[in-house]
């Protein structure tokens, strides 16, 4: 009978203490502050992990930016039943990085770049082989 007067209550605002799944739910509801918290929480380690796989900081920055745009657009598609929220977030930049590195227009930073000696390039290539990214090296350029 009094439903008309009942106020709609929003959930508590997301904050640094919220877990990733709750933050993704808030992002899906259009809450920018939740995306901000996720970015502060995950961007530094995502950048470090991507930089270990790609020597081009511009490519890393693009992948990172695309990641959080994709989180904003696709947060409603995340389901806690399918896995950890951080793992869901991590798959996005990895896929973006692979897509960019496989693209036809991409040049590896070591292709003719004067600041990388052959010895430095060899160390980078060896590291890539160790981390399982050898296929990407052979397709660069």
């Amino acid at each position: 009978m009094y439903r008309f007067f009942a106020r709609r209550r929003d959930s508590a605002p997301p904050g640094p203490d919220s877990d990733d799944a709750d933050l993704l739910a808030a992002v899906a509801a259009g809450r920018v502050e939740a995306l901000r918290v996720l970015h502060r929480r995950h961007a530094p380690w995502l950048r470090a992990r991507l930089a270990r796989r790609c020597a081009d900081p511009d490519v890393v920055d693009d992948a990172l930016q695309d990641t959080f745009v994709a989180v904003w657009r696709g947060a409603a598609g995340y389901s806690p039943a399918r896995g950890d929220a951080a793992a869901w977030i991590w798959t996005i930049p990895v896929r973006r990085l692979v897509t960019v590195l496989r693209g036809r227009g991409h040049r590896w930073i070591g292709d003719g770049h004067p600041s990388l000696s052959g010895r430095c390039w060899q160390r980078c290539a060896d590291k890539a082989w160790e981390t399982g990214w050898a296929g990407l090296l052979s397709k660069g350029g």
Side-chain angles (χ1 to χ4, degrees), residues 4-5 21 26 28 35 52 95 109 115-116 140:
F4 178 76
F5 296 107
L35 183 66
R52 289 182 56 150
R95 289 178 181 172
I109 198 167
S115 67
L116 286 178

Side-chain angles (χ1 to χ4, degrees), residues 117-135:
S117 66
R119 198 164 152 186
C120 175
W121 176 245
Q122 187 59 46
R123 281 195 311 264
C124 292
D126 290 344
K127 183 64 177 174
W129 278 105
E130 291 170 14
T131 58
W133 288 71

Side-chain angles (χ1 to χ4, degrees), residues 11-134:
S11 61
D17 296 333
S18 301
D19 70 356
D20 290 342
D22 291 340
L23 290 170
L24 282 173
V27 169
R31 307 218 30 201
V32 176
E33 63 274 13
L35 183 66
R36 212 173 274 129
V37 171
L38 281 172
H39 186 272
R40 283 189 198 124
R41 184 177 293 170
H42 293 282
W45 69 268
L46 286 173
R47 182 181 306 283
R49 301 276 313 254
L50 292 174
R52 289 182 56 150
R53 287 162 173 79
C54 178
D56 189 339
D58 291 334
V59 172
V60 170
D61 288 343
D62 288 346
L64 197 58
Q65 180 177 348
D66 288 350
T67 297
F68 288 97
V69 170
V71 168
W72 178 255
R73 291 179 179 165
Y78 168 72
S79 170
R82 292 191 310 194
D84 184 53
W88 181 81
I89 293 170
W90 170 242
T91 61
I92 298 168
V94 169
R95 289 178 181 172
R96 302 279 186 213
L97 186 63
V98 168
T99 300
V100 169
L101 294 178
R102 285 185 177 165
R104 300 180 108 193
H106 181 73
R107 257 185 56 189
W108 281 88
I109 198 167
D111 291 344
H113 196 279
S115 67
L116 286 178
S117 66
R119 198 164 152 186
C120 175
W121 176 245
Q122 187 59 46
R123 281 195 311 264
C124 292
D126 290 344
K127 183 64 177 174
W129 278 105
E130 291 170 14
T131 58
W133 288 71

